[in-house]
Amino acid sequence: MYKKMLLARMVDERTWLLNRMGKVHFVISGQGHEAAQVGAAWALRPGTDWVLPYYRDLGVVLTLGMTVREIMLMHMAKADDPNSGGRQMPNHWSLRRLNIFTGSSPVGTQVPHAAGIAYAAKLRGDDIVVWTSYGEGTANKGDVHEGMNFAGVHKLPVIFFCENNGYAISVPREKQMAVENVSVRAQGYGFPGVTVDGTDVFAVYRAMKEAVDQARRGEGPTLIEAKVYRFTPHSSDDDDRKYRDPAEVERQKQHDPVRKLREYALARGILTEAHDEELRRQFAAEIDEAIAYAEAAPDPEPSDLVRHVFAQ
């Protein structure tokens, strides 16, 4: 778990540098979400269960098996990008071999899609669980309510995972909703809702494992709300200093999930300082190689621009 969280953080940090160098045109970050994402993905079966992530879920796709090369091909919009062949915006995750379902730019559309896939699986008798995620701002969209209601009525094997980082772009939580926790809404749809500390990878995994086991037993959906904090602006085109105090960000970094797990592992002798340094060297080299590979990869052919857009 620590390796995946550390790799996600290092890949994320590097893409910001590439953005400032003009090599990656847009970054939307998951820094601060790593424990929630890795803990959730750890309870799923890669390539068997279906996953409909949202744009911050770098830690999810890395844990399921997407490679750093594939991520850099996406960021540089190359023809071999497995997410979309360089045709989607970055972080619109999609990978057939891992059952990662392609997402749309409008937020929340993945939720009714997840309920639909789970309904089809139930009708076919497939032994799968469907997992979908979104932010707490998206939790207020109509698509999310419709998808959860449908899943509750039909007791579908689907897990709704809300990564609540307290800001819907620039709007704080208290101006988005009249409740403290998104998870309380699950009661209205007839299934369990739980709130967990999203900076604690073990707490997230425990909640996910229980939800996955329940879904596999045919007992229906669960809504999990992971409380996290976003350390970066909403995206590389956002200036978060306009709506939150930098001192607040610094205070929240005391709960950095990557640092917390590192200190936990060091204190118990699971990790040593030397091993940690070696991991960081290995990951830095892997990222360097992936960037060089992606930069040398071919761009999409202009003649392919409308493929999959219009009937041909």
Side-chain angles (χ1 to χ4, degrees):
M1 287 178 167
Y2 177 67
K3 288 180 180 177
K4 293 297 184 185
M5 289 170 60
L6 177 61
L7 180 59
R9 176 64 59 86
M10 292 179 67
V11 170
D12 199 309
E13 290 175 341
R14 186 67 72 86
T15 55
W16 283 86
L17 295 176
L18 292 170
N19 174 263
R20 297 303 186 255
M21 295 165 67
K23 295 185 176 182
V24 166
H25 69 276
F26 185 73
V27 177
I28 194 154
S29 183
Q31 292 183 38
H33 291 229
E34 292 92 345
Q37 296 172 358
V38 173
W42 211 263
L44 299 170
R45 298 174 300 184
T48 299
D49 295 325
W50 280 75
V51 177
L52 295 88
Y54 88 128
Y55 43 73
R56 295 199 193 283
D57 280 332
L58 173 61
V60 171
V61 299
L62 280 172
T63 302
L64 293 174
M66 191 177 286
T67 68
V68 180
R69 268 191 181 187
E70 290 170 333
I71 288 165
M72 290 302 168
L73 287 169
M74 172 201 70
H75 276 301
M76 296 186 185
K78 296 296 185 172
D80 292 335
D81 159 33
N83 296 272
S84 71
R87 299 303 193 192
Q88 276 262 38
M89 285 184 69
N91 295 47
H92 284 53
W93 313 108
S94 177
L95 195 54
R96 284 176 183 257
R97 74 169 187 273
L98 296 175
N99 287 348
I100 298 175
F101 193 86
T102 189
S104 301
S105 291
V107 296
T109 56
Q110 70 271 28
V111 176
H113 292 166
I117 293 170
Y119 186 54
K122 184 174 182 177
L123 293 177
R124 293 167 49 158
D126 294 342
D127 176 27
I128 67 162
V129 166
V130 183
W131 180 89
T132 187
S133 65
Y134 45 88
E136 88 286 352
T138 298
N140 306 314
K141 303 286 287 186
D143 284 6
V144 175
H145 296 289
E146 292 172 22
M148 289 201 295
N149 186 63
F150 187 82
V153 168
H154 295 283
K155 290 191 177 305
L156 301 179
V158 57
I159 298 164
F160 303 101
F161 192 82
C162 178
E163 297 175 35
N164 183 351
N165 63 28
Y167 288 93
I169 305 182
S170 59
V171 182
R173 190 273 308 162
E174 60 270 19
K175 292 185 178 179
Q176 300 174 45
M177 59 187 75
V179 293
E180 178 73 22
N181 296 321
V182 172
S183 64
V184 300
R185 294 175 174 169
Q187 185 177 3
Y189 305 113
F191 53 80
V194 296
T195 296
V196 297
D197 177 359
T199 69
D200 182 342
V201 68
F202 304 123
V204 175
Y205 174 74
R206 280 194 297 271
M208 268 293 295
K209 184 66 168 60
E210 185 174 344
V212 167
D213 290 346
Q214 176 177 295
R216 294 202 200 287
R217 291 194 300 266
E219 296 173 8
T222 299
L223 168 60
I224 298 174
E225 176 190 22
K227 291 286 187 72
V228 296
Y229 191 83
R230 160 166 60 83
F231 294 148
T232 61
H234 171 72
S235 74
S236 52
D237 292 345
D238 175 41
D239 182 357
D240 62 331
R241 295 170 299 181
K242 294 181 178 178
Y243 57 85
R244 65 179 182 180
D245 186 346
E248 174 187 307
V249 181
E250 288 306 309
R251 284 196 304 274
Q252 289 292 336
K253 286 185 177 178
Q254 296 174 14
H255 309 289
D256 184 332
V258 178
R259 190 177 72 181
K260 281 175 62 175
L261 187 56
R262 178 181 182 274
E263 291 174 351
Y264 175 93
L266 286 171
R268 285 157 181 79
I270 301 168
L271 180 73
T272 65
E273 293 283 0
H275 187 200
D276 190 41
E277 285 300 316
E278 179 56 28
L279 279 178
R280 291 169 189 269
R281 279 194 293 271
Q282 289 177 8
F283 290 157
E286 182 180 355
I287 295 167
D288 288 342
E289 189 278 335
I291 293 169
Y293 180 87
E295 285 184 310
D299 295 320
E301 288 292 331
S303 59
D304 294 340
L305 183 62
V306 296
R307 181 180 293 173
H308 309 304
V309 177
F310 301 108
Q312 295 180 331

